[in-house]
Amino acid sequence: MMKLISFLFCVALLDVCSSHTLSFGDYSYKVSGSPAGFQVWTTAPSHKITVDHALPSGEKGSLFLSAARHEFEPLQVIIQGTTAGSCAVELEMGTVEKVGMHKGGFVDGLLDTLTPLAGMTTTGTTTTATLAVDGGSKQTVLWLTVYVPYTATVSGMQTGLGKLRLTPPGSSTPFEIPIDMYVYNFQLSAELNYVNHMTLGLTGTVHSDEDVAKQILFDHRMTPKGGATWPSGFNYQVAWETNSNPDKCSKFYDEPNESPPYSLHHLAPKYVKGEGWNCAGFPIHMAVQFVNNNTPRPTSFCGESVGSDPKGTPAYNAAWGKYIGELGKYVKDNGYGDKVFYYTMNEPQDAADDDTAVALCELSRSVAPDLMICVSEEPKPEIAERCAYDIWASALREYNQTYAWKRQEQGIPGERVWLYSLPQDPDPYPNPSQTDRQGMHSRIWGFLSWSLRTQGYWYYDAGTWFNNKNPTVRLELFREAWEDYEYLWLANGKKQPKPCTMTAADVPAFSVAKGLTDWTTNDDALMSLRHQLGLYLEGSIASPPSLVVPPSPPPAPVYINFQGSSPSADPLVVGGNTYVKMGWDAYDPGTGIGWEGQNIGTSIVKDGYQDTGSKDELWYSYLFDDYGRDNVFKYPLNPGTYEITVAVGRPGKTYNDKYNVVVNGVKVIDNYHSKGTGVDQTQASIVMEISSGLSVVWGGKDDGGSYAYTFIAWMTAVPSSAPAGPDNMVELECPKLNIPVVDERMKEPSCRPCFTESFCGTKAPETPLPPGQTYVPPTPAPDTAIPATPLPPGQSFSPSTVSPGTPSTQAPNIVADDGNSVSIPVWVPVLIIIIVML
């Protein structure tokens, strides 16, 4: 009888323990017990639903989210209500600070806008508001955001930490939903370790109050381009060539006698260094930028004309050099050297522009050798081999990773690459600015940037992430991306990645994003991985986690012929294999098959057929983009190891154009020159592990930087037992550079977990907190730290998981959801044995 009681006791514990190991489906489910005609459900925040989105099949009794200290975390709560009307909302979140409650709106058919709920008020730990439910079986989105303070005194699983009460329209009875939260026993850095540099207006776009606008941007891990010191600045209009300057065109002027809200002398220490603000400041600040693409500097400066050549006359350059020299000295003397930069030029178009970029670089280096300089261009030898820039801002589709990594591995001091996207970037390139793209286009950037070894993101019109001075879902997900990057930075021992060194942080990063066109779109899988990464960082599990996709059918061969109307044989059988005929069919999300590219659906993409009588039918048909643009073909292969073969070339004709094909981020055909070889067509194969389908980029720019034809013939994907080649960019790129790969992926990071960093004088816990123990931080300095929030009476840690700091002996495993996935803490079997012995 006692054995039966102990068994039932153990079974009862399983549900409590199950939230420690998350599985697929754990983020997309209906909330059980929802009132009739008022179905509440949830899904991952990066899953931008449609207004008539289908309900998930699974059910759970509570909502769940997880976060570290000093981290924001969104929760998407969705209501399918048959009756329209006002819904009373009450959110109680215990020791976790509440930040926002918004109603989601739809743009281009997908969730995008966020509008603060009406009548929102907060009393103690409870916030109330009113949500307008749309009714008619439409989905109404309630978007919640919480912030875990740096000084939070809880860690581990907090079962029932929060409660969400929703009163349906026409009802007086609230529906109460528990909110479980796992608080990781570490904190994100007070500083931003990734640069998210945005061009936008502060008061016109973000908030009418400049200081509030800056705080909103910092909280979203965004830096306003030149706006940190707005309405003052380091630029020559304010600090040099101005009548307010008593030493005009002679000495740097920081407005020392102006009122603090308008003075560089007061604004720079606060918002660049963080003094008297947040102890960190914005991570970067643009001091001065080019005038326009044709004239990088003003036509007249301090009485001197630039002349007909943008490189400037000697007299002009002397005047300009005086300003840049004094700017550099001021920046260095005041300790801003690692943050402030001069943006010299935008997108050099030709050799003459390259010469100008070099001349501006050389002038700056001669007068201000320590001042950082930036050019909007991908790293390229035409400029870099003549004068080294500190910051290269590259369009993501122009990014030359091999050369950029070569520069970084050569140890060019401080040299870094920022990427920027453009509205016209097609799938599967990540495009976070567009409302018609799924949320992973925003969320993926943290993992992707780590894999690419790029250190920043820049966008020319960041107002697109705001709507009526409210952040959009895209902006909220962008913040999630940069918080992901912070997790990886911590996993790397609080260090930025190096191109040819692999560390523990690369295990999750490469499993999520292998390249610009090869990254996961599985929202739930990413959320599960992120939770495991948090557990790894706090020390609850021993090994860095990898993304694992749901089980699928076994690998199966695929044969594809790219063609127009010919060959006409149906079915098309060659060599005993039946080939799928594929023209320029646009990508279909329903089948996962088709093309993406800027010219898809236009007459610019063409096909051809020529029977030369020398080969089989597969070689006679072809597709091509008449503008030579890169186009991506996607196909949903079952996961497994495959030998992928791609074939290119036009039958009977050779070209000076160089053909390129990239399969899942790996270049398989590299600038094949049919004219040079005298062979019209070629094929190449690679054995690789496929986890989430095929993504094949055909064509685009050649090694000379020009768009070139690539004639697309056929491809096959055949299951293989041969060992797969490298599946990460380090092992692919570094051998090309003759740089040895340093593999430290299983090496314990130098700092895991780390609890010693202070936040404005308030120090977080030094050691992991066991269940039931609280941490009381020292009294924060006035007006500089977030106040500590003690545990309310009667609340303690839940002993439902492995204590943070007690490593598991098993590597993390994110498994497919069978509805019964559980994780049993080590103390459960010990307790069972004790009970059985009784």
Side-chain angles (χ1 to χ4, degrees):
M1 184 63 173
M2 184 58 71
K3 291 183 178 180
L4 176 60
I5 293 173
S6 62
F7 172 76
L8 294 175
F9 179 71
C10 179
V11 171
L13 287 173
L14 294 183
D15 185 62
V16 178
C17 305
S18 63
S19 55
H20 187 69
T21 297
L22 298 176
S23 337
F24 294 112
D26 280 344
Y27 292 92
S28 299
Y29 56 87
K30 293 179 289 189
V31 177
S32 57
S34 296
F38 192 81
Q39 179 62 62
V40 181
W41 61 286
T42 187
T43 190
S46 58
H47 187 184
K48 292 171 60 178
I49 69 165
T50 59
V51 71
D52 56 353
H53 204 284
L55 293 173
S57 57
E59 287 194 356
K60 295 182 185 294
S62 61
L63 300 169
F64 175 80
L65 68 164
S66 56
R69 294 189 290 270
H70 188 44
E71 180 177 4
F72 291 84
E73 189 67 17
L75 179 62
Q76 187 173 185
V77 181
I78 308 148
I79 300 166
Q80 186 183 69
T82 56
T83 303
S86 295
C87 168
V89 179
E90 184 177 292
L91 176 64
E92 182 182 335
M93 279 303 294
T95 61
V96 175
E97 292 186 7
K98 298 160 292 296
V99 172
M101 298 198 298
H102 295 78
K103 179 180 179 179
F106 297 86
V107 179
D108 289 326
L110 295 174
L111 176 68
D112 187 69
T113 61
L114 294 174
T115 303
L117 295 193
M120 190 161 60
T121 59
T122 299
T123 303
T125 61
T126 302
T127 298
T128 59
T130 301
L131 171 69
V133 175
D134 295 327
S137 297
K138 294 179 180 178
Q139 306 294 357
T140 301
V141 176
L142 171 60
W143 186 277
L144 305 177
T145 308
V146 301
Y147 170 72
V148 182
Y150 200 91
T151 53
T153 56
V154 297
S155 67
M157 175 55 70
Q158 306 297 309
T159 303
L161 175 69
K163 293 178 176 61
L164 176 63
R165 301 179 185 94
L166 303 172
T167 304
S171 172
S172 59
T173 304
F175 172 48
E176 184 174 288
I177 309 169
I179 300 177
D180 302 332
M181 185 168 187
Y182 194 101
V183 180
Y184 305 118
N185 202 17
F186 63 89
Q187 63 283 334
L188 299 190
S189 171
E191 296 183 340
L192 308 183
N193 293 293
Y194 187 90
V195 173
N196 202 5
H197 198 244
M198 298 297 183
T199 303
L200 80 172
L202 291 176
T203 57
T205 302
V206 183
H207 195 279
S208 57
D209 184 294
E210 293 157 359
D211 292 333
V212 174
K214 292 172 187 177
Q215 186 64 56
I216 290 172
L217 291 175
F218 191 88
D219 286 345
H220 284 85
R221 300 182 172 269
M222 299 176 76
T223 298
K225 187 183 82 170
T229 58
W230 177 263
S232 185
F234 295 82
N235 55 304
Y236 55 86
Q237 297 97 326
V238 172
W240 191 256
E241 191 181 16
T242 172
N243 292 331
S244 299
N245 184 353
D247 298 296
K248 181 179 178 180
C249 292
S250 177
K251 293 183 179 179
F252 193 87
Y253 175 63
D254 69 354
E255 306 171 303
N257 298 320
E258 292 285 343
S259 175
Y262 306 99
S263 164
L264 178 66
H265 182 80
H266 297 90
L267 290 170
K270 180 176 182 179
Y271 289 111
V272 178
K273 286 184 175 180
E275 294 176 0
W277 182 39
N278 61 13
C279 301
F282 287 106
I284 202 76
H285 182 75
M286 186 190 71
V288 61
Q289 73 162 13
F290 65 92
V291 175
N292 58 54
N293 286 10
N294 296 323
T295 308
R297 296 176 293 176
T299 56
S300 177
F301 184 74
C302 290
E304 300 293 341
S305 173
V306 71
S308 58
D309 188 335
K311 290 192 290 294
T313 66
Y316 182 95
N317 287 336
W320 183 260
K322 178 69 172 175
Y323 161 61
I324 295 299
E326 289 297 311
L327 168 64
K329 182 177 184 302
Y330 180 86
V331 167
K332 183 178 181 180
D333 290 349
N334 287 276
Y336 306 135
D338 60 341
K339 291 188 174 185
V340 174
F341 71 95
Y342 160 34
Y343 183 14
T344 66
M345 194 172 180
N346 183 53
E347 297 180 347
Q349 298 296 307
D350 51 30
D353 284 352
D354 291 345
D355 290 343
T356 301
V358 171
L360 295 175
C361 174
E362 291 175 337
L363 176 59
S364 181
R365 293 293 187 223
S366 68
V367 298
D370 298 317
L371 179 64
M372 292 193 297
I373 53 176
C374 167
V375 63
S376 179
E377 185 72 323
E378 70 276 8
K380 62 181 185 181
E382 292 85 349
I383 298 175
E385 303 299 329
R386 299 157 66 191
C387 190
Y389 272 83
D390 299 284
I391 302 168
W392 301 86
S394 171
L396 66 90
R397 296 174 69 191
E398 307 295 330
Y399 175 52
N400 184 336
Q401 179 171 282
T402 301
Y403 186 70
W405 283 19
K406 176 183 178 182
R407 299 279 302 170
Q408 293 181 49
E409 281 292 338
Q410 286 175 341
I412 308 300
E415 188 162 305
R416 67 202 76 173
V417 178
W418 298 350
L419 294 180
Y420 63 88
S421 58
L422 295 169
Q424 64 267 29
D425 290 337
D427 261 326
Y429 291 97
N431 197 332
S433 66
Q434 300 304 288
T435 56
D436 62 350
R437 307 298 169 89
Q438 261 300 337
M440 287 295 284
H441 277 261
S442 301
R443 180 68 190 263
I444 199 63
W445 274 93
F447 287 99
L448 180 61
S449 296
W450 188 275
S451 295
L452 295 173
R453 300 333 197 210
T454 55
Q455 297 82 27
Y457 177 85
W458 195 331
Y459 198 71
Y460 72 97
D461 182 20
T464 185
W465 281 289
F466 288 85
N467 179 58
N468 294 326
K469 296 185 179 179
N470 292 311
T472 62
V473 170
R474 286 169 291 127
L475 180 58
E476 299 298 293
L477 295 177
F478 230 10
R479 171 163 59 193
E480 290 296 289
W482 309 129
E483 289 176 341
D484 291 342
Y485 192 93
E486 296 289 340
Y487 275 52
L488 297 171
W489 180 80
L490 287 171
N492 198 39
K494 295 189 174 183
K495 295 181 294 185
Q496 298 289 353
K498 295 180 179 179
C500 295
T501 298
M502 292 188 291
T503 66
D506 290 319
V507 177
F510 285 142
S511 73
V512 170
K514 294 182 174 66
L516 283 168
T517 61
D518 185 14
W519 40 274
T520 186
T521 58
N522 192 313
D523 307 273
D524 278 13
L526 180 64
M527 291 291 287
S528 297
L529 170 70
R530 177 47 148 42
H531 180 57
Q532 296 289 321
L533 181 56
L535 296 176
Y536 169 72
L537 287 173
E538 72 173 8
S540 289
I541 57 177
S543 300
S546 291
L547 186 82
V548 179
V549 297
S552 62
V558 174
Y559 305 90
I560 300 171
N561 189 52
F562 297 105
Q563 63 170 82
S565 58
S566 295
S568 58
D570 191 14
L572 177 62
V573 180
V574 178
N577 299 313
T578 301
Y579 281 74
V580 175
K581 297 179 180 182
M582 180 59 60
W584 285 111
D585 301 75
Y587 177 72
D588 179 357
T591 64
I593 300 172
W595 290 95
E596 293 172 330
Q598 67 187 77
N599 296 326
I600 301 301
T602 73
S603 60
I604 296 171
V605 290
K606 302 179 183 295
D607 61 77
Y609 180 85
Q610 186 173 356
D611 185 347
T612 61
S614 59
K615 297 181 180 179
D616 58 45
E617 286 274 57
L618 298 178
W619 290 102
Y620 300 154
S621 61
Y622 55 91
L623 304 178
F624 68 103
D625 185 308
D626 207 24
Y627 287 4
R629 299 300 190 264
D630 46 332
N631 294 285
V632 183
F633 179 72
K634 301 177 79 172
Y635 198 94
L637 285 183
N638 296 338
T641 302
Y642 290 83
E643 181 178 23
I644 312 294
T645 303
V646 292
V648 296
R650 183 171 178 177
K653 291 184 180 292
T654 58
Y655 288 81
N656 277 319
D657 294 70
K658 296 177 181 178
Y659 307 155
N660 285 281
V661 183
V662 177
V663 179
N664 283 23
V666 180
K667 184 162 279 191
V668 179
I669 293 181
D670 189 356
N671 288 282
Y672 179 75
H673 188 199
S674 61
K675 179 74 76 174
T677 62
V679 180
D680 56 350
Q681 297 172 310
T682 190
Q683 68 185 67
S685 301
I686 185 172
V687 176
M688 59 173 26
E689 190 74 22
I690 301 296
S691 60
S692 55
L694 269 180
S695 177
V696 186
V697 182
W698 307 76
K701 289 189 175 181
D702 60 20
D703 54 3
S706 299
Y707 286 108
Y709 285 137
T710 291
F711 296 96
I712 305 163
W714 54 268
M715 70 173 295
T716 62
V718 180
S720 174
S721 59
D727 65 350
N728 63 76
M729 288 178 284
V730 171
E731 293 176 308
L732 291 166
E733 292 286 358
C734 295
K736 300 178 187 176
L737 304 173
N738 294 318
I739 297 173
V741 173
V742 179
D743 192 344
E744 298 179 346
R745 281 175 287 185
M746 293 300 111
K747 180 180 178 180
E748 180 76 8
S750 60
C751 186
R752 181 178 74 97
C754 293
F755 301 96
T756 58
E757 183 177 318
S758 63
F759 185 81
C760 283
T762 300
K763 187 170 288 188
E766 296 285 347
T767 57
L769 296 171
Q773 182 174 321
T774 61
Y775 164 72
V776 180
T779 303
D783 301 323
T784 60
I786 299 170
T789 307
L791 285 170
Q795 184 170 335
S796 61
F797 296 164
S798 168
S800 59
T801 63
V802 177
S803 300
T806 307
S808 165
T809 57
Q810 285 187 317
N813 182 29
I814 306 170
V815 297
D817 184 18
D818 59 3
N820 298 297
S821 177
V822 297
S823 175
I824 304 176
V826 294
W827 54 266
V828 171
V830 176
L831 180 59
I832 294 170
I833 293 173
I834 294 173
I835 295 175
V836 171
M837 292 177 65
L838 294 174

